Amino acid sequence: MDLTRYLPPVLALVVVLALCVLLAWWGWRRRAARQGDLPELPQPVAGGKALSWGSEPGSAEGVYVATTLAGRPLERVTARGLGPRSRASVSDADDGGRPVLHVERQGAASFLVPWADVRSVHTASGMVGKWIGGDGLLVVRWQLGSTELDTGFRLDERADQDRFLALAARRLPADQRPSADPSGPPPSDPALPSTDPQPRKELP
């Protein structure tokens, strides 16, 4: 059997795949360059020595899905290392007297979201990188420099999502308190059993 006749189409396929990867990489780099005016991500003071954690709601494990421009769930932000999806933990913390959300990511840069910069906390059915339906994502809308961002998490446990929504209701002014994505269905009542259509725990 002459296998050499299969060589040209196989090589052509390899070239096409390589071009696709190259174009994706180039598009990612261009997007990051366009977003280059974003400030550096907030980091703990004194290298984290001033960080402390309360007991409630503690640390929630899940997936950091993406960060997008606020209200534009398909416009991914890749600058400042915000692009890669990864496993992550989210914690309510105190950074030398500054209340913050501490986002620790595996294989990507960790960062803080100061509560003073949070504009709202809501649920959403999806964003670039993850579409679920219902209210499966926890989304923090916050200000970085002059740009408003939406940072989305898919937490492993529904109870953790409900606890962070309750925390935001205590932390934020009345007009910024948790809500559902206005384009999606209303959130489920935390007192009722979760109706998530799929198991929450997942790999990035």
Side-chain angles (χ1 to χ4, degrees), residues 16-32:
V16 169
L17 290 175
L19 284 174
C20 289
V21 171
L22 182 61
L23 287 172
W25 173 83
W26 181 67
W28 190 282
R29 291 291 300 272
R30 283 196 64 193
R31 183 186 295 268

Side-chain angles (χ1 to χ4, degrees), residues 2-4 19-20 32 54 62 82 84 90 94 110 112 115 118 123-125 143 145 148 170 175 196:
D2 185 10
L3 297 179
T4 57
L19 284 174
C20 289
L82 289 170
V90 187
D94 184 278
S110 299
L112 303 179
W115 276 105
V118 174
T123 59
S125 58
Q143 189 91 22
E148 275 196 0
R170 297 193 300 270
D175 60 344
D196 280 348

